[in-house]
Amino acid sequence: MMTSPAENRFSNRFFALIPCAGQGSRASTSPSGLAKQYQPIAGLPMVLHTLAAFAGVKRLQETLVVVAPHDVFFDALPEKPFTVAACGGASRAGSVRQGLDALQQAGAEAGDWVLVHDAARCLVTPDQINQLIDACEHDDVGGLLAHKLPDTLKCEGRLEQQGRVAATLDRSDKWLAQTPQMFRIGLLIRALDAAESAGHVVTDESSAIEALGLAPKLVAGS
């Protein structure tokens, strides 16, 4: 596996990237048509709870929020302890990829760490974010928060057996992927570009890293 000289110059700087350009296709929108991440919970839009958690992690150099072009949600906020880039793409992976370019244009380097976190995952805490950093900052690959599968896992049958149980799967080695997911910027760019070139659908950063033949670290979340 080839690496660039810049990617080999590892640092202990940490950046956060929050893709916030999606419309929440897996969740119903409010009557106002607000995207999922902007819908209110406990008096605040989900994304502001998320950003408050990252603001509590003092070792982050910068938090970049990637929104869709013409998204003006953050314009009305009086104070923003984060940066907004209106470079969101048509997919989550596209938004992350554009956000990585924006971070590098602002001074981040290929050897810096980036923590990618979904805007609508608003229950994350500073302790969990710090836990991920502590677990992965000296790792060769990086890793992600994940939750060990607690429930019995069933496999559905095919064709005429659709809707019926075909097998019960061993859950002892099964984990639910969460975010943040933390990798070196240069490595993640390479992984996302390779996945796009191969026509793979990237649902999270870890899957792109795995496609390079690497094994991200699982860090128990909540």
Side-chain angles (χ1 to χ4, degrees):
M1 181 181 63
M2 299 294 292
T3 59
S4 69
E7 193 177 309
N8 286 328
R9 291 196 294 269
F10 289 161
S11 81
N12 287 321
R13 296 199 303 174
F14 307 97
F15 294 81
L17 195 163
I18 314 293
C20 191
Q23 292 300 307
S25 59
R26 290 180 296 177
S28 60
T29 56
S30 67
S32 64
L34 284 176
K36 177 173 64 174
Q37 64 269 21
Y38 298 141
Q39 293 183 34
I41 287 182
L44 285 175
M46 290 188 200
V47 66
L48 296 188
H49 290 291
T50 300
L51 290 168
F54 279 86
V57 180
K58 301 308 179 186
R59 49 183 159 171
L60 289 174
Q61 295 284 129
E62 179 183 356
T63 296
L64 178 72
V65 183
V66 177
V67 301
H70 313 300
D71 186 333
V72 297
F73 173 83
F74 291 102
D75 292 357
L77 295 184
E79 296 182 5
K80 292 190 280 288
F82 50 85
T83 303
V84 178
C87 60
S91 66
R92 181 186 180 283
S95 293
V96 171
R97 183 63 184 83
Q98 296 294 338
L100 294 172
D101 280 346
L103 280 176
Q104 289 195 304
Q105 290 165 11
E109 298 179 351
D112 291 329
W113 289 107
V114 62
L115 286 79
V116 182
H117 183 77
D118 297 333
R121 291 184 184 261
C122 58
L123 299 181
V124 70
T125 67
D127 284 347
Q128 291 171 341
I129 299 167
N130 278 310
Q131 178 185 357
L132 179 66
I133 293 174
D134 290 340
C136 295
E137 63 178 325
H138 301 299
D139 194 80
D140 290 338
V141 178
L144 65 152
L145 287 183
H147 183 57
K148 201 145 193 177
L149 192 69
D151 302 315
T152 301
L153 187 63
K154 302 293 184 182
C155 180
E156 181 185 10
R158 297 182 178 180
L159 302 177
E160 68 275 4
Q161 292 299 314
Q162 278 190 323
R164 295 185 177 275
V165 174
T168 297
L169 304 180
D170 179 13
R171 70 184 183 194
S172 62
D173 61 348
K174 304 298 189 298
W175 292 69
L176 298 172
Q178 299 179 326
T179 60
Q181 301 192 1
M182 173 176 157
F183 301 101
R184 299 284 183 183
I185 289 175
L187 175 62
L188 185 53
I189 286 175
R190 189 154 51 89
L192 291 173
D193 287 350
E196 183 180 20
S197 296
H200 295 157
V201 176
V202 175
T203 56
D204 71 344
E205 291 65 51
S206 179
S207 63
I209 298 293
E210 293 160 40
L212 294 180
L214 301 174
K217 186 173 186 177
L218 290 163
V219 180
S222 172

